Amino acid sequence: MKRGKNYLEALKKYDKQKQYSVDDAVGLVKELSYAKFDETVEVSIRLGLKKSQNVRDTMVLPHQFTEEKKILVFAKGEKAEEAKAAGAAYVGDDDLIEKIRGGWLDFDVAVATPDMMKDVGRLGPILGRRGLMPNPKTQTVTFDIQAALAELKKGRVEFRSDKTGVVHLPVGKVSMDPAQVSENARAFMAEVSKRKPADVKGDFIRSVAVSSTMGPGVRVEFK
């Protein structure tokens, strides 16, 4: 892959093979950032997983940095009223399903009560491709709508390993206080380490890197 001049200049400013502390790595990422917009800082963790294994969960980072998400709730009756009272942007059942089938997708996260999933499941080809399908594993299929929305409004995020066994998560912005970004990064690393499958042999976490949207990755000391 051909890299731009700014990227290549950034590479000269640090040791690519060295593992840095979280604080030093985040500081370096801030220093190496060169884009004219406020870049996102992302942590990437390479895991020792078999092809049949994956790691997936949700968490709330200590420091939020994204705008509040538009939450859609599939629910009927009392649960629909509960969703409206809890601040959902959109609440409905068959009407929303038809609207989405027609191409409307103006929301960031979808929550559903379990009794709605038979109908919502028909939206699999549309919502699944975009990572919007409600799922019990991410606490977005639940009768406790109020609690689910409260967590999402606090900034609950989902992480999951990809086909290569790497899990990525944005943990801040370059403009943020580096101490807050570091705390988010440490919280994410700790959360992932708790999700080690019982049958993983050897090192679960193989490597950790932190980078900005446009900048190079900085290796992180994680032992």
Side-chain angles (χ1 to χ4, degrees), residues 64-191:
Q64 294 315 307
F65 57 93
T66 56
E67 293 179 5
E68 191 170 293
K69 294 177 178 177
K70 289 185 198 171
I71 305 169
L72 176 148
V73 178
F74 295 105
K76 295 180 179 180
E78 286 182 13
K79 288 299 168 183
E81 293 307 312
E82 184 182 325
K84 290 173 188 173
Y90 308 104
V91 182
D93 44 77
D94 294 340
D95 55 330
L96 284 183
I97 290 171
E98 287 309 310
K99 199 172 177 180
I100 291 167
R101 289 177 80 176
W104 176 80
L105 287 164
D106 186 25
F107 56 95
D108 302 305
V109 59
V111 176
T113 51
D115 58 311
M116 285 297 303
M117 284 308 293
K118 183 180 176 184
D119 296 323
V120 174
R122 300 201 309 267
L123 298 174
I126 301 169
L127 299 183
R129 276 202 306 271
R130 294 166 177 80
L132 292 170
M133 178 59 83
N135 190 308
K137 290 181 180 176
T138 57
Q139 292 94 54
T140 48
V141 176
T142 177
F143 278 122
D144 196 348
I145 296 294
Q146 189 173 353
L149 265 64
E151 281 280 291
L152 288 165
K153 283 177 173 291
K154 278 188 215 166
R156 189 174 78 196
V157 290
E158 179 185 353
F159 59 86
R160 63 190 300 179
S161 52
D162 62 20
K163 290 177 183 176
T164 64
V166 179
V167 57
H168 308 269
L169 189 73
V171 295
K173 292 284 187 179
V174 165
S175 61
M176 277 173 69
D177 177 349
Q180 292 185 335
V181 180
S182 294
E183 193 175 343
N184 280 353
R186 276 192 285 268
F188 173 48
M189 289 163 64
E191 203 64 35

Side-chain angles (χ1 to χ4, degrees), residues 19 44-48 166 204-209 219-220 222:
Q19 290 187 348
S44 301
I45 303 177
R46 183 172 295 282
L47 303 174
V166 179
F204 175 49
I205 294 181
R206 298 282 177 85
S207 65
V208 180
R219 290 163 64 94
V220 176
F222 60 91

Side-chain angles (χ1 to χ4, degrees), residues 48-68:
L49 296 174
K50 300 174 188 171
K51 284 188 178 178
S52 59
Q53 296 170 323
N54 66 10
V55 167
R56 180 179 186 179
D57 215 324
T58 62
M59 67 177 295
V60 176
L61 292 168
H63 304 284
Q64 294 315 307
F65 57 93
T66 56
E67 293 179 5
E68 191 170 293

